[in-house]
Amino acid sequence: MFDHTTAPFRLNPGYRLQYEEAQQCQVLLYPEGLVKLSDTAAEILGRCLEPITRERLIAELQRDYPDADSLSDDVREFLNDARRQDWIVAAED
Amino acid sequence: MWLLAELTYACPLQCPYCSNPLQLPASRKRELSTGEWLRVMREARKLGAVQLGFSGGEPLVRQDLGELIAAADGMGFYCNLITSAIGLNEARIAEFREAGIRHIQISFQGSDRETNARFGGSDSFEHKLAMTRETIRQGIPLGLNFVLHRHNIHQVSDFLHLAEGLGAEFVELANTQYYAWALHNRDQLLPSAAQLEEAEAAANRFRQRHRGNMRALFVAPDYYERRPKKCSNGWGTTFITITPEGDVLPCQSARAIEGLEFPNVRQDSLENIWRGSSLFQKFRGTDWMQEPCASCPEKENDLGGCRCQAFLLTGDAHATDPICELSPEHHRVGDAIRAAQAHAEAGEDAVPLLFRNTANARKLATAEA
């Protein structure tokens, strides 16, 4: 069982992240379903298309959004959820 | 929104619970061309459809399937292939993978070679196993679909072990739903309450013992429920089915309802059909309801159940789905269960299963005329 708090991860390759004109938001597509994403969720997952570590992801977001409060806690919580739902999986290697 | 593309009604299998119409399929020459499918898919994307299922019959019969997948993926669809695996090989899996297929669902008719051949009408078990392994080897997310009825429902546990051994991520234990060929063969297919209970318990036991990565979904036949299933998430809200010849339906079974007119993509755009056709408006919302649905506090939950089933069991598509115990016609469901039990007790060969093939479709057409 991989641990996303230490090992690199990426968006589940079976999932597809895209902007939907009809819904006016980013969505995550998976076999037989779809979830609408908040802007924040889409921003995070959009940075997981290539393997990345949690630490690096948080650092990147803090660099790009220096004014966001409690960013690292929010990202950690989101990633825990994303891991549970298999949105992110272990990056190979 | 979901687009279900029924590419062809041609199929190498003869399953007696097939959801395709009982009528003889039209000539393959009448099927939508590659170009017509591309136009329809573009129109569906514009309407907001994102999930696309390639189905049939057997969609692998279409030689342009790879081309359709590639185009659909390019348009932003999430492409699912729903197949028996007959016609699949290593090269075609690679072609579909390259084209952008996201998920493949392979159906099984039994958990062993003999049962699978008996109900599929084709000795395909070893091939299905090989193609399941190959799909997984090539890294394409895969689900297995096991269609249950009273002659194979005791195999649930065997099938789950088989699926786990193959490395499947997802298994759907789908009880036959009684439409089309399945409805015609209902006396021979409907399981007893005891069989159903044991199968569901077997699925639960498996889930408890195996906390692995495989998810298993058990779909019960609605004949044993007290409330009906919601009409395809709401008539004309989520699903568009397109038949091989281009008829547009709100669900796979809607052609069962007599007296409806079905618009066709050769005559009109999908947008006009979706927004303006009388077919898609007919059972949208709740205004069409009669009693006891109209004043029922639960009407938004299930929307009165399945319109096709209401028609098939009562002759009135506006009626409450008789699965609902509040329906004045609910006794019809009990009658069906008793008839199936009587048939089982009389010996299974009293009336043989009618397999879905051209000869039998012709026989039915002659009998009706």
Side-chain angles (χ1 to χ4, degrees), chain B residues 123-136:
Chain B
D123 185 7
S124 57
F125 190 66
E126 294 300 328
H127 181 71
K128 283 169 188 279
L129 295 183
M131 291 304 105
T132 300
R133 288 193 195 97
E134 182 59 23
T135 301
I136 293 169

Side-chain angles (χ1 to χ4, degrees), chain B residues 289-347:
Chain B
M289 284 181 176
Q290 306 172 352
E291 292 300 341
C293 289
S295 61
C296 180
E298 295 175 43
K299 69 178 173 186
E300 298 288 345
N301 299 344
D302 53 40
L303 297 171
C306 170
R307 295 302 87 224
C308 306
Q309 188 147 270
F311 177 81
L312 289 166
L313 298 188
T314 75
D316 178 3
H318 292 78
T320 301
D321 183 340
I323 296 301
C324 185
E325 61 183 356
L326 302 172
S327 158
E329 302 288 331
H330 182 60
H331 60 90
R332 289 176 191 271
V333 178
D335 292 347
I337 293 171
R338 279 186 292 278
Q341 283 315 112
H343 186 275
E345 282 155 23

Side-chain angles (χ1 to χ4, degrees), chain A residues 13-16 18-20 22-23 29-34, chain B residues 2 45 47-48 50-51 73 76-78 80 102-103 105 141:
Chain A
Y15 286 35
R16 178 169 176 155
Q18 67 187 25
Y19 183 74
E20 274 305 305
Q23 331 235 16
L29 296 164
Y30 54 92
E32 310 200 342
L34 145 167
Chain B
W2 251 97
R45 257 318 265 152
L47 274 178
V50 277
Q51 289 281 356
D73 183 69
F77 274 113
Y78 190 95
N80 303 269
R102 296 286 170 152
H103 183 249
Q105 179 192 283

Side-chain angles (χ1 to χ4, degrees), chain A residues 54 58-59 61-62 68-79:
Chain A
R54 188 174 75 169
I58 291 173
L61 286 162
Q62 276 169 338
D69 291 334
S70 73
L71 185 144
S72 65
D73 284 350
D74 292 348
V75 174
R76 283 195 183 95
E77 198 177 316
F78 175 81
L79 288 175

